[in-house]
Amino acid sequence: TVQQTNVEDIEVVTNEDPGEQVVVSAGGDEGLTPTVQAETSVGTGTVSVAVYESNPGDIPSFATGGETPDAGTFVDVYVSPTSTFTSTTIVICDPNGGEVAYWWDGLAWSPASHQAYDAQSGCITVTVASEGTSPSIADLSGTIFAAALGYAPVIQSVSISPAVLPVGAPVTASVLFSD
């Protein structure tokens, strides 16, 4: 983590039967607090989920629905590195209206690659696999997720004209954003 915060709720499940799945969830007091649930493929290992009071990562570039950039829905998912699970489905339900899941890789926030939002339930479902997803199962080593109100704009290009100019001369800048 980058910033200190408290954990509101945490649940841990260890499975030793290679023929069973793990389902673990935390949060969700009377629909007023965020919830997180992780459901694995069959396999063995330990899975934990947690709900944070505030943002334990760096300040996000996206809106979280909280009163400040560090407020909003921030949850954590951990899958033990010795687990044999090949996939995990993470469901994040955000009472603040978050529709997009971002994950903290230790350096930056990135949108999860395989996700879907269900407007009826108000939940985001993120699919994580051993390969081909961001994050991957190997990245779930206490990985922070945030529920964003939408995608953060991405700067595609910046151009300044003229390229060389004298001190005090007017400058024209053009910035192309995408979402």
Side-chain angles (χ1 to χ4, degrees), residues 40-52:
T40 68
S41 61
V42 295
T44 60
T46 299
V47 180
S48 68
V49 293
V51 176
Y52 289 108

Side-chain angles (χ1 to χ4, degrees), residues 29-132:
D29 295 331
E30 299 176 18
L32 302 175
T33 60
T35 61
V36 59
Q37 175 179 299
E39 181 175 342
T40 68
S41 61
V42 295
T44 60
T46 299
V47 180
S48 68
V49 293
V51 176
Y52 289 108
E53 278 185 1
S54 62
N55 177 15
D58 203 359
I59 295 173
S61 60
F62 49 84
T64 62
E67 294 179 15
T68 68
D70 288 332
T73 295
F74 296 91
V75 300
D76 195 310
V77 179
Y78 169 84
V79 176
S80 62
T82 58
S83 77
T84 62
F85 306 119
T86 58
S87 67
T88 301
T89 301
I90 300 164
V91 179
I92 303 165
C93 299
D94 177 21
N96 298 310
E99 300 175 354
V100 178
Y102 277 77
W103 70 286
W104 176 251
D105 69 6
L107 299 173
W109 289 103
S110 299
S113 63
H114 292 71
Q115 63 176 287
Y117 175 69
D118 181 345
Q120 192 166 7
S121 68
C123 298
I124 308 159
T125 300
V126 178
T127 302
V128 179
S130 299
E131 296 178 0

